[in-house]
Amino acid sequence: MSAEKLKLVLQGGSQVEVEPGISARELAEQVNGDLVEKAIAAKLDDEVIDLARPIERSGELKFLFEDDGDEDSLYVLRHSTAHVLATAVRSLRPNAGIGFGPPIAAGFYYDFDVEHPFTPEDLERIEARMAEVIAGDDQFERREVERSEARQLFADDPYKIERLEEIAEGDVISVYRDGEFLDLCRGPHLPSTGRVKNFKILHSAGAYWRGDERRPMLQRIYGTSFFERSKLDEHLRLLEEARKRDHRVLGKQLDLFSVQEDVGPGLIHWHPKGAMIQFLLRRFLEDELLRRGYDFVYTPHISREALFRRSGHLQAYSEVMFPSMEMEGEKEDYRVKPMNCPGHMAIYDARQRSYRDLPIRYAEIASDYRNEKSGTLHGMLRVRGLTMDDAHIFCRPDQVEDEIYGMLDLVDYIYGSFGLQYGLDFSTRPAKRIGSDEVWDQAEDALRAAIERRELNYAVDRGGGAFYGPKIDVKFLDAIGREWQGSTIQLDFVLPERFGLTYVGADNRKHRPVMIHRAIYGTFERFVGGLIEHFAGSFPLWLAPVQVRVLPVSDELADAAGSVHEALHEAGLRAELDDRSETLSYRIRDGELQKVPYLAVVGEREAEGGTVAVRKRGAEKKQVVLPVSEFVGRLAEENRNRTLG
């Protein structure tokens, strides 16, 4: 008796009945012969499969084509390109250990265990060998194997054996071969290596196996690939632009910050110019918070472990908390704080609260410390010492929507001041959560209502909320289109319960307040790092650590230049007098390299006429002669209005 036929729904809604075991390629031949040449893979419901893979169940089937805008198609391409990379490395270094080779957001990588790190010359040879593999147009051949056979096939590959042992009993074990290279892999892949067209090896770096610094250090090769050459060229152009904007390079060039080896990795030293940027960001935000009814608080850098045990942070986040410290004469150890919410709740709980007191908005520019793994540290973007613009709002349930609305308004005002475009991710209740459905309904409805009152676009991350409440994540785009994590707004039902927080309601009974965590910048380190890259170091006038440099043409004009410098200083502008003995062209060039917004040159005619020759950053060699008073007035107005241009 023949097996029951499968029912497949194709694109456009047409339905076909087929025998079990038919491949997507065979189906394409039956439906439309042109599909065989054009398709690269197929998608059965939510699973992307090879064209040659047998179909064993009914469902919706979609053919995938060469399309740089389709995430599934790019995934197949980049996964296949990663295997081409591994094929090339194994042919050049037969003894190389093979780790993982997954697609990532903008390309792919593959980890290798080799005696020496890859040099730029090695990467060139590997890229050339990849081109040869692609020209060979070998088929990607998939085969399902038993566990015992897989152990034999990869007996000399300890990393593959480790991965093999993690595959659950009963799960399919598949291997792929292209040419001489065999890999343990789930797929899917292109029909053949020749379908990889436009690729580039980018760089290599050390990476611990499985991200564990106790495991071997492997060498990771990064690359990318696209179906269209123009898309690859544009991607490489953006990568080059990103390299020029690297906050670590600009931070050193502009003398903004450093990480000192003697002090430790992940601990930022803010140099005077970087500290000025942080000061300006603080003052900007703090002035706005005062206007919006926040109260500032300050909490200790260390607390007893009992506080973090009560909050649950010790149990949930101990791996990123620094080790406990013994205190002489104390029975309990102390910890440096990784976050500020326990301290803010202690302040709230210091006295009885009434419903008339709410909402209470506590804000703190706080220093926190998290023991991030050294391999994850990255300039200012991933650090161990964090400066957070943290706030916690305690309110009644009926006040939540208005509080969220106010926070979104604050986000819009602050981000708009930097010219940042942003979007929202609204994360809803996960499967494992605390609190009743009624409470979650009320909380999610309040967040959604606030977002829609602001008429903001948002994406819903269903089930992506924390177990203690729904949240809103703000993602902003920089000048070259990269997405950065920004503000977070988080409802919390757990901590008020854990700490027994209450307020006396109008009914003279005690009620539990709702707690909202929020940060606008997130951390100053990450936000400033992002701003450095967004502006490529060319900060707008109001945020530039040095707003104008005054340059006398000669030593004889130093006094006249000094008078201009004094006028700028008295107007509250951050000016420098550059009267070094270097040539004027050298000092102008240095001011340009330091990305100073305005250079004010004082020559004989300017000194006699009470004017300055002004060069604006980015205006090439154009200069405008202005009366000193007019120049100072223009800059003062631009500074006051926080003009971006």
Side-chain angles (χ1 to χ4, degrees):
M1 182 177 179
S2 61
E4 184 177 349
K5 288 190 174 183
L6 304 179
K7 296 179 180 179
L8 299 175
V9 180
L10 305 181
Q11 287 166 273
S14 62
Q15 299 184 29
V16 295
E17 291 189 356
V18 296
E19 297 292 339
I22 189 174
S23 70
R25 177 182 288 112
E26 291 168 335
L27 177 59
E29 290 175 342
Q30 293 180 16
V31 175
N32 183 344
D34 290 341
L35 288 176
V36 178
E37 296 299 323
K38 296 179 180 179
I40 61 167
K43 188 173 185 179
L44 181 60
D45 294 330
D46 293 328
E47 182 184 9
V48 180
I49 61 174
D50 306 305
L51 288 178
R53 184 170 171 181
I55 299 173
E56 305 290 355
R57 59 184 173 84
S58 300
E60 293 186 11
L61 187 78
K62 170 187 175 184
F63 288 100
L64 302 180
F65 304 94
E66 295 185 0
D67 183 355
D68 283 323
D70 187 292
E71 290 184 5
D72 291 326
S73 295
L74 276 177
Y75 182 94
V76 176
L77 170 66
R78 289 167 176 170
H79 195 183
S80 302
T81 315
H83 275 242
V84 170
L85 167 61
T87 303
V89 171
R90 261 289 169 84
S91 69
L92 294 171
R93 297 197 185 186
N95 295 323
I98 303 292
F100 288 149
I104 53 178
F108 59 87
Y109 69 78
Y110 218 115
D111 290 339
F112 302 97
D113 190 355
V114 290
E115 290 185 7
H116 305 290
F118 295 108
T119 66
E121 293 74 21
D122 290 332
L123 298 184
E124 290 180 7
R125 284 191 289 271
I126 291 168
E127 190 172 79
R129 180 68 185 115
M130 288 176 67
E132 294 173 358
V133 172
I134 292 168
D137 197 23
D138 290 316
Q139 298 291 309
F140 281 106
E141 299 173 353
R142 178 182 184 273
R143 188 163 64 90
E144 295 182 6
V145 298
E146 297 295 330
R147 190 178 300 270
S148 58
E149 182 183 356
R151 289 196 182 103
Q152 293 177 348
L153 291 172
F154 299 101
D156 296 329
D157 280 315
Y159 302 109
K160 295 299 179 184
I161 291 295
E162 180 177 328
R163 177 68 188 97
L164 175 65
E165 298 307 321
E166 295 172 349
I167 299 175
E169 290 294 335
D171 285 359
V172 171
I173 299 172
S174 59
V175 298
Y176 278 82
R177 178 180 295 279
D178 61 288
E180 297 299 318
F181 180 62
L182 183 72
D183 200 5
L184 177 71
C185 179
R186 291 181 301 180
H189 288 292
L190 298 168
S192 67
T193 61
R195 301 294 288 269
V196 176
K197 297 178 180 178
N198 306 294
F199 74 96
K200 182 66 179 175
I201 294 303
L202 300 174
H203 64 276
S204 64
Y208 290 109
W209 172 239
R210 314 301 287 269
D212 187 341
E213 55 194 14
R214 296 167 296 182
R215 307 294 299 277
M217 171 68 78
L218 306 183
Q219 294 301 307
R220 176 170 294 177
I221 296 179
Y222 289 91
T224 191
S225 57
F226 290 85
F227 290 110
E228 295 181 20
R229 181 71 201 186
S230 60
K231 295 289 183 68
L232 175 62
D233 291 342
E234 175 63 10
H235 181 73
L236 296 178
R237 186 192 68 79
L238 290 175
L239 288 179
E240 177 61 20
E241 182 63 29
R243 186 189 66 78
K244 294 176 183 177
R245 294 168 178 266
D246 191 321
H247 75 282
R248 296 166 298 179
V249 175
L250 289 171
K252 183 176 182 179
Q253 175 187 324
L254 303 178
D255 195 24
L256 301 177
F257 74 95
S258 65
V259 178
Q260 302 289 343
E261 184 63 31
D262 289 347
V263 178
L267 302 172
I268 301 298
H269 291 71
W270 297 80
H271 295 197
K273 291 180 181 178
M276 175 55 71
I277 294 172
Q278 188 194 127
F279 168 77
L280 293 167
L281 291 174
R282 282 175 178 249
R283 185 168 67 177
F284 176 42
L285 180 61
E286 288 177 338
D287 287 348
E288 189 61 26
L289 293 181
L290 286 174
R291 193 178 71 80
R292 292 172 182 256
Y294 282 76
D295 293 311
F296 290 110
V297 297
Y298 297 102
T299 56
H301 288 221
I302 62 172
S303 302
R304 285 178 170 168
E305 277 194 342
L307 183 70
F308 298 115
R309 190 176 297 111
R310 185 180 184 187
S311 69
H313 290 114
L314 191 62
Q315 298 90 314
Y317 301 106
S318 60
E319 72 278 2
V320 297
M321 295 180 70
F322 278 94
S324 57
M325 301 175 291
E326 292 185 6
M327 294 290 188
E328 186 175 352
E330 294 275 350
K331 293 182 178 179
E332 186 167 2
D333 291 346
Y334 283 66
R335 295 265 187 163
V336 294
K337 63 176 180 176
M339 61 280 295
N340 311 294
C341 27
H344 291 189
M345 284 184 292
I347 295 174
Y348 178 94
D349 202 33
R351 65 180 180 85
Q352 181 63 60
R353 309 291 178 172
S354 164
Y355 71 97
R356 295 188 179 90
D357 299 327
L358 305 183
I360 292 174
R361 308 182 185 101
Y362 291 150
E364 178 178 8
I365 306 295
S367 296
D368 296 319
Y369 307 89
R370 297 181 184 176
N371 192 14
E372 303 285 358
K373 293 181 179 179
S374 59
T376 66
L377 301 175
H378 181 75
M380 301 183 88
L381 306 184
R382 192 71 177 266
V383 295
R384 285 174 171 163
L386 307 84
T387 309
M388 297 184 66
D389 71 303
D390 211 2
H392 295 91
I393 291 79
F394 303 89
C395 61
R396 305 189 306 267
D398 63 290
Q399 295 173 321
V400 169
E401 181 183 331
D402 285 342
E403 288 304 303
I404 299 297
Y405 182 89
M407 291 175 198
L408 294 174
D409 185 72
L410 177 61
V411 166
D412 189 69
Y413 175 69
I414 296 294
Y415 282 24
S417 299
F418 302 104
L420 297 173
Q421 296 180 325
Y422 65 91
L424 306 181
D425 286 345
F426 173 34
S427 300
T428 61
R429 71 194 75 183
K432 293 184 178 180
R433 59 186 182 271
I434 65 100
S436 66
D437 286 342
E438 182 181 1
V439 170
W440 275 87
D441 287 342
Q442 187 176 10
E444 290 176 358
D445 288 346
L447 265 65
R448 187 181 294 103
I451 294 172
E452 293 176 354
R453 274 175 62 191
R454 289 288 310 169
E455 298 182 348
L456 297 172
N457 293 324
Y458 66 98
V460 177
D461 179 10
R462 300 192 185 281
F467 74 93
Y468 48 81
K471 66 174 180 174
I472 297 171
D473 286 319
V474 180
K475 308 287 181 63
F476 67 85
L477 297 177
D478 69 7
I480 59 174
R482 295 173 300 179
E483 188 176 77
W484 298 71
Q485 173 63 51
S487 307
T488 297
I489 300 170
Q490 173 78 64
L491 287 192
D492 190 341
F493 307 131
V494 170
L495 287 180
E497 186 75 30
R498 282 181 177 269
F499 280 76
L501 304 184
T502 61
Y503 66 90
V504 177
D507 57 2
N508 209 33
R509 300 174 64 181
K510 288 188 176 181
H511 300 269
R512 193 79 69 205
V514 176
M515 183 178 183
I516 308 174
H517 307 248
R518 79 105 188 95
I520 303 299
Y521 296 142
T523 71
F524 281 85
E525 288 78 13
R526 185 175 61 201
F527 193 74
V528 170
L531 287 183
I532 292 171
E533 300 202 6
H534 173 65
F535 291 117
S538 297
F539 295 101
L541 182 78
W542 75 271
L543 197 56
V546 177
Q547 296 174 311
V548 58
R549 271 191 186 177
V550 183
L551 294 81
V553 170
S554 63
D555 292 343
E556 291 75 17
L557 297 167
D559 289 343
S563 297
V564 176
H565 175 262
E566 183 63 25
L568 291 162
H569 182 72
E570 289 180 356
L573 296 162
R574 297 180 294 281
E576 285 184 347
L577 177 62
D578 187 356
D579 56 359
R580 292 176 292 172
S581 58
E582 306 288 350
T583 65
L584 178 63
S585 60
Y586 175 89
R587 286 178 286 150
I588 289 174
R589 178 58 178 158
D590 183 64
E592 292 171 343
L593 290 173
Q594 290 299 304
K595 303 182 183 293
V596 178
Y598 289 95
L599 302 178
V601 179
V602 180
E604 289 186 11
R605 283 182 297 179
E606 287 79 22
E608 292 173 0
T611 61
V612 289
V614 179
R615 289 171 176 257
K616 185 176 181 180
R617 182 184 60 205
E620 296 181 353
K621 296 183 179 180
K622 295 179 181 179
Q623 64 180 31
V624 179
V625 177
L626 296 172
V628 172
S629 59
E630 182 179 346
F631 175 56
V632 172
R634 285 188 182 185
L635 262 64
E637 182 179 7
E638 184 179 338
N639 186 52
R640 183 169 51 253
N641 294 333
R642 296 191 178 90
T643 304
L644 292 173

